[in-house]
């Protein structure tokens, strides 16, 4: 049985992603209040696997999680992309005419602005977690309250789904990273099957430094799929570059890393893994 640390409650989108990614396997969830707790669980027990959101097609990148990953001793061993679908749920004996408040995570509320605009009588209230809002309402029997969460969360807590697919943009996907202790990585993903890598590095404050790196990557037929820059705290106008690349040939990818290493500073491979379909 795999033990998977996630941020959030049972029924959360992290829960759904974990069960989809490890479909057919027995898993035990370790539900954490914060992403820091996820990485702490991996540090304390090398057998624990973490699953953390890293970017959303609407809300963008979760910048703090990039930092947590870089500072940890964990490595990326996989990724999973989940279609995010928001629903309105309430206690079984509540209905539209009894609702007064609607609770959810701030990002979920922002992704359902059109729905909230169509229901101005419902007071939108921020919560720490989508599934957590549903759990709180169910546990405390909060009549007149509704939650924006997944329909899976509603089922988990015995709540009624009033309306599904209330999100503004139907192309709402979140990308999750599967992370583990570095010593366990080879047991979780065969390196020869890897075709994607996440790396981080800084650059000297020189003209054209990033362009040189990208030119070398292109020469080795390495496809850049994402680049995210973050300022280095305490060092004016210097940045860390988090880069995702895909490749068809592991050897040429390794050669490209060797080629750019003299041009960059503090390079670290955050993980080599198989890209999500």
């Amino acid at each position: 049985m795999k033990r998977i640390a996630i941020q959030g409650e049972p029924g959360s989108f992290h829960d759904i992603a974990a069960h989809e990614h490890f479909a057919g396997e027995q898993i035990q969830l370790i539900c954490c209040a914060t992403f820091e707790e996820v990485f702490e669980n991996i540090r304390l027990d090398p057998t624990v696997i973490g699953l953390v959101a890293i970017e959303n097609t609407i809300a963008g990148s979760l910048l703090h999680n990039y930092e947590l990953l870089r500072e940890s001793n964990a490595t990326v061993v996989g990724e999973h992309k989940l279609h995010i679908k928001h629903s309105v749920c309430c206690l079984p004996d509540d209905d539209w005419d009894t609702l007064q408040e609607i609770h959810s995570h701030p990002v979920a509320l922002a992704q359902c602005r059109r729905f909230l605009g169509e229901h101005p009588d419902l007071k939108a209230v921020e919560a720490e977690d989508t599934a957590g809002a549903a759990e709180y309402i169910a546990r405390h029997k909060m009549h007149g309250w509704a939650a924006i969460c997944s329909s899976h969360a509603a089922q988990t807590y015995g709540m009624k789904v009033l309306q599904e697919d209330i999100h503004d943009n139907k192309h709402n996907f979140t990308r999750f990273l599967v992370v583990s202790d570095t010593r366990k990585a080879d047991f979780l993903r065969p390196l020869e099957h890897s075709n994607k890598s996440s790396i981080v590095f800084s650059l000297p404050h020189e003209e054209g430094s990033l362009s040189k790196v990208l030119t070398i990557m292109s020469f080795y037929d390495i496809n850049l799929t994402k680049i995210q820059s973050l300022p280095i705290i305490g060092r004016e106008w210097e940045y860390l570059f988090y880069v995702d690349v895909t490749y068809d040939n592991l050897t040429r990818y390794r050669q490209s890393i060797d080629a750019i290493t003299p041009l960059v500073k503090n390079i670290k491979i955050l993980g080599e893994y198989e890209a999500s379909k």
Side-chain angles (χ1 to χ4, degrees):
M1 178 181 291
K2 288 184 170 67
R3 300 176 66 221
I4 315 297
I6 64 169
Q7 186 276 325
E9 304 284 341
S12 66
F13 292 111
H14 276 83
D15 174 4
I16 298 170
H19 278 89
E20 283 189 4
H21 187 79
F22 296 101
E25 301 185 59
Q26 283 191 319
I27 68 172
Q28 176 188 1
L29 291 181
I30 303 172
C31 295
C32 305
T34 65
F35 289 110
E36 283 86 351
E37 286 186 30
V38 172
F39 285 97
E40 181 67 6
N41 270 277
I42 298 171
R43 187 186 70 82
L44 294 174
D45 184 350
T47 65
V48 170
I49 302 167
L51 186 137
V52 296
I54 200 68
E55 65 175 321
N56 175 266
T57 51
I58 298 173
S61 298
L62 282 75
L63 302 180
H64 185 51
N65 286 355
Y66 279 102
E67 288 294 279
L68 291 175
L69 177 60
R70 182 180 64 85
E71 293 169 357
S72 73
N73 290 320
T75 188
V76 183
V77 295
E79 67 175 4
H80 187 83
K81 295 173 183 175
L82 178 69
H83 192 188
I84 304 298
K85 298 180 179 180
H86 294 302
S87 300
V88 179
C89 70
C90 63
L91 294 174
D93 50 354
D94 264 330
D95 215 321
W96 290 112
D97 58 351
T98 62
L99 294 183
Q100 299 173 341
E101 297 183 7
I102 190 159
H103 295 242
S104 195
H105 189 277
V107 172
L109 293 174
Q111 292 175 353
C112 302
R113 285 197 183 97
R114 186 179 302 117
F115 167 84
L116 293 173
E118 293 169 352
H119 296 81
D121 52 322
L122 291 179
K123 178 184 177 182
V125 181
E126 293 185 356
E128 292 185 357
D129 185 61
T130 54
E135 188 275 337
Y136 185 90
I137 293 170
R139 177 159 51 92
H140 293 280
K141 305 297 183 186
M142 300 302 296
H143 292 280
W145 288 21
I148 292 178
C149 58
S150 68
S151 57
H152 176 65
Q155 182 181 6
T156 299
Y157 299 112
M159 300 182 72
K160 178 171 66 177
V161 176
L162 287 176
Q163 186 174 334
E164 294 185 314
D165 296 344
I166 65 167
H167 36 284
D168 297 345
N169 193 320
K170 305 309 177 186
H171 299 283
N172 185 4
F173 290 83
T174 294
R175 175 174 166 246
F176 299 83
L177 296 180
V178 183
V179 297
S180 78
D181 184 279
T182 303
R183 294 166 293 180
K184 299 293 182 180
D186 289 338
F187 296 99
L188 296 170
R189 58 96 176 91
L191 190 57
E192 63 272 17
H193 292 167
S194 71
N195 58 7
K196 188 171 185 178
S197 174
S198 296
I199 60 178
V200 59
F201 53 81
S202 58
L203 289 169
H205 198 52
E206 300 172 0
E207 185 176 343
S209 56
L210 179 58
S211 177
K212 292 174 185 176
V213 171
L214 299 182
T215 299
I216 291 174
M217 289 287 195
S218 177
F219 174 79
Y220 283 96
D221 298 323
I222 306 301
N223 182 35
L224 182 74
T225 60
K226 180 178 176 64
I227 183 166
Q228 179 75 54
S229 64
L230 286 178
I232 302 176
I233 305 300
R235 293 161 64 178
E236 294 82 0
W237 319 123
E238 291 191 40
Y239 299 87
L240 286 170
F241 293 89
Y242 291 85
V243 177
D244 288 344
V245 299
T246 58
Y247 47 87
D248 296 323
N249 186 298
L250 181 61
T251 300
R252 284 186 66 82
Y253 153 72
R254 289 287 175 83
Q255 289 172 341
S256 73
I257 296 298
D258 291 340
I260 68 171
T261 296
L263 303 178
V264 303
K265 298 188 294 183
N266 306 314
I267 188 170
K268 182 178 182 179
I269 297 175
L270 299 173
E272 296 160 340
Y273 49 99
E274 188 172 2
S276 177
K277 298 295 189 291

